[in-house]
């Protein structure tokens, strides 16, 4: 059956465990110089409506390392930007390539692609979710802590797309997530309810100090996601108490580690000291985008 990866909950617990086991194995093979040309002759189209560094590079390099090819498509250069319908773009592209990755402003754009595409569609970030980021984050937590079961995670800042995917992931990982956001910037309420209804451990609080207390993983992200730029002044005022700095880190478990999907804004959601300090796992996290997405591509495209 054809699969898409639009939400982190498009895979189940067993599939996630297998996919990440494969990701760890692909990482080992790469380090040891063992080729793994599992997708030779396959092409991934990558459609970007928004900027990207890590997602673009890791998917393109990933396809190359799997023996396939990746095609970078700036949405602004496509007919879609001049009004061609998504359903027509999706069906035409499906005749050329083996899978499509889309980074879009609206989640519904990706869902529309998936509805009409006859190949797997991957969400490379939308306003609602960033499931590929969560694959890398869970992989990084596994590497550092072994198991994610009952691992205490604190989210500090905006209840955004990455936060939404983290919340949904509790259903698959056993992570115990406490989210602290300013009023009005909570994660999507339907996702919180969905995660809780499916047994996920998700708590919403206001103060970052409450979320971070004894936490083993602190996660943050920009206060101004792509698409939110016109709210910059208001957000800068409201988010002032949500900086992950060394004082906040003192409240966490002494062995706590910090994740940030990047790009980071030093002096806003995170200080330079924490980013560059011994508790930061951000570079492993960025690297793991590559390994986790390679495993995802193999999972989606295996015959
Ligand atoms: N974390 C992430 O998705 O980074 P890019 O925006 O650089 O792709
Ligand atoms: N929340 C951020 C993530 C960037 C990778 C954004 O959507 O801009």
């Amino acid at each position: 059956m054809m699969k898409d990866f639009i939400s982190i909950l498009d895979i189940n617990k067993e599939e996630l465990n297998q996919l990440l086991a494969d990701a760890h194995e692909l990482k080992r093979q790469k380090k040891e110089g063992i080729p793994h040309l599992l997708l030779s002759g396959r092409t991934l189209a990558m459609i970007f409506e928004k900027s990207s560094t890590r997602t673009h590079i890791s998917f393109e390099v990933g396809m190359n390392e799997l023996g396939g090819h990746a095609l970078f498509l700036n949405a602004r250069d496509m007919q879609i930007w001049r009004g061609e319908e998504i359903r027509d773009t999706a069906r035409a592209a499906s005749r050329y390539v083996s899978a499509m990755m889309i980074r879009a402003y609206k989640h519904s754009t990706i869902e529309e692609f998936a509805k009409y595409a006859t190949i797997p569609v991957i969400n490379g970030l939308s306003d609602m979710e960033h499931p590929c980021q969560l694959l890398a984050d869970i992989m990084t937590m596994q590497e550092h802590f072994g198991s994610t079961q009952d691992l205490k995670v604190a989210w500090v800042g905006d209840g955004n797309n990455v936060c939404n995917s983290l919340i949904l992931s509790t259903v698959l990982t056993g992570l115990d997530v406490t989210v602290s956001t300013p009023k009005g910037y909570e994660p999507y309420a339907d996702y919180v309810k969905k995660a809780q209804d499916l047994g996920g451990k998700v708590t919403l609080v206001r103060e970052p100090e409450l979320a971070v207390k004894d936490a083993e993983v602190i996660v943050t992200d920009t206060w101004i996601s792509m698409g939110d730029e016109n709210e910059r002044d208001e957000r800068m005022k409201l988010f002032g108490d949500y900086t992950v700095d060394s004082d906040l880190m003192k409240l966490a478990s002494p062995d706590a580690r910090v994740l940030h999907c990047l790009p980071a804004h030093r002096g806003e959601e995170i200080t330079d000291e924490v980013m560059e300090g011994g508790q930061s796992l951000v570079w492993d996290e960025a690297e793991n985008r590559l390994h986790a997405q390679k495993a995802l591509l193999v999972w989606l495209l295996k015959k």
Side-chain angles (χ1 to χ4, degrees), residues 50 103 125 130 160-162 221-222 224-226 261-263:
K50 303 177 180 177
R103 169 167 285 197
L125 182 148
H130 196 359
N160 64 14
N161 43 11
V162 179
D221 185 16
T222 181
I224 300 147
S225 285
M226 291 178 279
C261 65
L262 307 177

Side-chain angles (χ1 to χ4, degrees), residues 21-36 139 143 287-288 291 294:
D22 293 347
H24 291 294
E25 175 59 17
L26 288 169
K27 182 170 184 174
R28 187 190 68 79
Q29 290 182 7
K30 179 174 158 94
K31 304 268 175 215
E32 292 183 13
I34 301 167
H36 37 262
M139 180 178 176
E143 270 178 347
E287 176 185 336
N288 286 337
H291 311 298
K294 283 166 71 178

Side-chain angles (χ1 to χ4, degrees), residues 290-301:
L290 172 69
H291 311 298
Q293 288 160 195
K294 283 166 71 178
L296 172 70
L297 289 162
V298 173
W299 179 70
L300 289 171
L301 289 173

Side-chain angles (χ1 to χ4, degrees), residues 48 51-58 103 124-125 130 133 162 226 260-263 289:
F48 285 92
S51 306
S52 172
T53 297
R54 281 142 288 267
T55 305
H56 179 176
I57 299 175
S58 55
R103 169 167 285 197
L125 182 148
H130 196 359
Q133 185 64 50
V162 179
M226 291 178 279
H260 188 315
C261 65
L262 307 177
R289 292 291 302 276

Side-chain angles (χ1 to χ4, degrees), residues 9 30 37 48 51-52 54 63 73-75 83 87 95 112 116 128 133 146-147 176 198 238 241 262 271 292 300:
L9 289 186
K30 179 174 158 94
L37 306 175
F48 285 92
S51 306
S52 172
R54 281 142 288 267
M63 275 307 278
L73 297 162
N74 184 334
R87 56 185 170 157
R95 301 292 178 106
E112 180 88 351
Y116 290 98
M128 295 301 293
Q133 185 64 50
S147 167
D176 182 348
L198 292 169
L238 286 167
D241 294 334
L262 307 177
T271 58
L300 289 171

Side-chain angles (χ1 to χ4, degrees), residues 266 270-280 282-283:
R266 289 170 170 82
I270 193 164
T271 58
D272 183 64
E273 192 182 0
V274 173
M275 267 285 289
E276 302 296 339
Q279 289 174 283
S280 168
V282 300
W283 309 118

Side-chain angles (χ1 to χ4, degrees), residues 52-301:
S52 172
T53 297
R54 281 142 288 267
T55 305
H56 179 176
I57 299 175
S58 55
F59 267 111
E60 184 160 338
V61 171
M63 275 307 278
N64 287 342
E65 290 180 357
L66 291 166
H69 176 69
L71 191 63
F72 172 79
L73 297 162
N74 184 334
R76 284 168 184 74
D77 298 331
M78 296 174 72
Q79 296 291 8
I80 210 166
W81 217 251
R82 298 178 56 246
E84 184 174 11
E85 293 192 24
I86 290 171
R87 56 185 170 157
D88 296 349
T89 311
R91 283 176 293 179
S94 296
R95 301 292 178 106
Y96 305 127
V97 300
S98 312
M100 262 187 278
M101 187 235 76
I102 302 153
R103 169 167 285 197
Y105 281 97
K106 291 199 282 191
H107 196 72
S108 57
T109 299
I110 304 174
E111 288 175 329
E112 180 88 351
F113 262 103
K115 186 171 169 192
Y116 290 98
T118 54
I119 54 172
V121 170
I122 300 168
N123 177 357
L125 182 148
S126 71
D127 54 345
M128 295 301 293
E129 282 202 58
H130 196 359
C132 294
Q133 185 64 50
L134 256 292
L135 293 181
D137 290 9
I138 299 162
M139 180 178 176
T140 308
M141 289 188 253
Q142 287 182 341
E143 270 178 347
H144 193 80
F145 294 97
S147 167
T148 54
Q149 187 62 45
D150 297 321
L151 196 64
K152 257 177 88 48
V153 178
W155 176 275
V156 179
D158 187 19
N160 64 14
N161 43 11
V162 179
C163 181
N164 283 336
S165 290
L166 172 65
I167 283 167
L168 292 176
S169 81
T170 58
V171 177
L172 310 174
T173 55
L175 289 171
D176 182 348
V177 175
T178 304
V179 175
S180 56
T181 68
K183 194 167 170 13
Y185 294 88
E186 294 84 3
Y188 185 46
D190 287 3
Y191 285 177
V192 175
K193 184 171 181 318
K194 184 173 183 178
Q196 288 169 337
D197 287 351
L198 292 169
K201 288 179 225 141
V202 182
T203 310
L204 304 191
V205 297
R206 191 64 64 219
E207 293 80 18
E209 293 79 8
L210 275 180
V212 162
K213 193 173 172 340
D214 301 325
E216 293 159 289
V217 183
I218 317 300
V219 196
T220 190
D221 185 16
T222 181
W223 296 336
I224 300 147
S225 285
M226 291 178 279
D228 293 337
E229 291 83 358
N230 58 358
E231 298 174 17
R232 182 172 178 85
D233 293 349
E234 196 183 339
R235 282 172 174 262
M236 290 302 283
K237 276 184 228 143
L238 286 167
F239 281 86
D241 294 334
Y242 289 80
T243 302
V244 176
D245 58 17
S246 47
D247 283 343
L248 195 64
M249 289 303 298
K250 285 189 191 118
L251 303 175
S253 156
D255 299 323
R257 291 293 179 269
V258 175
L259 296 180
H260 188 315
C261 65
L262 307 177
H265 307 79
R266 289 170 170 82
E268 294 183 14
E269 75 275 5
I270 193 164
T271 58
D272 183 64
E273 192 182 0
V274 173
M275 267 285 289
E276 302 296 339
Q279 289 174 283
S280 168
L281 291 180
V282 300
W283 309 118
D284 288 341
E285 181 186 9
E287 176 185 336
N288 286 337
R289 292 291 302 276
L290 172 69
H291 311 298
Q293 288 160 195
K294 283 166 71 178
L296 172 70
L297 289 162
V298 173
W299 179 70
L300 289 171
L301 289 173

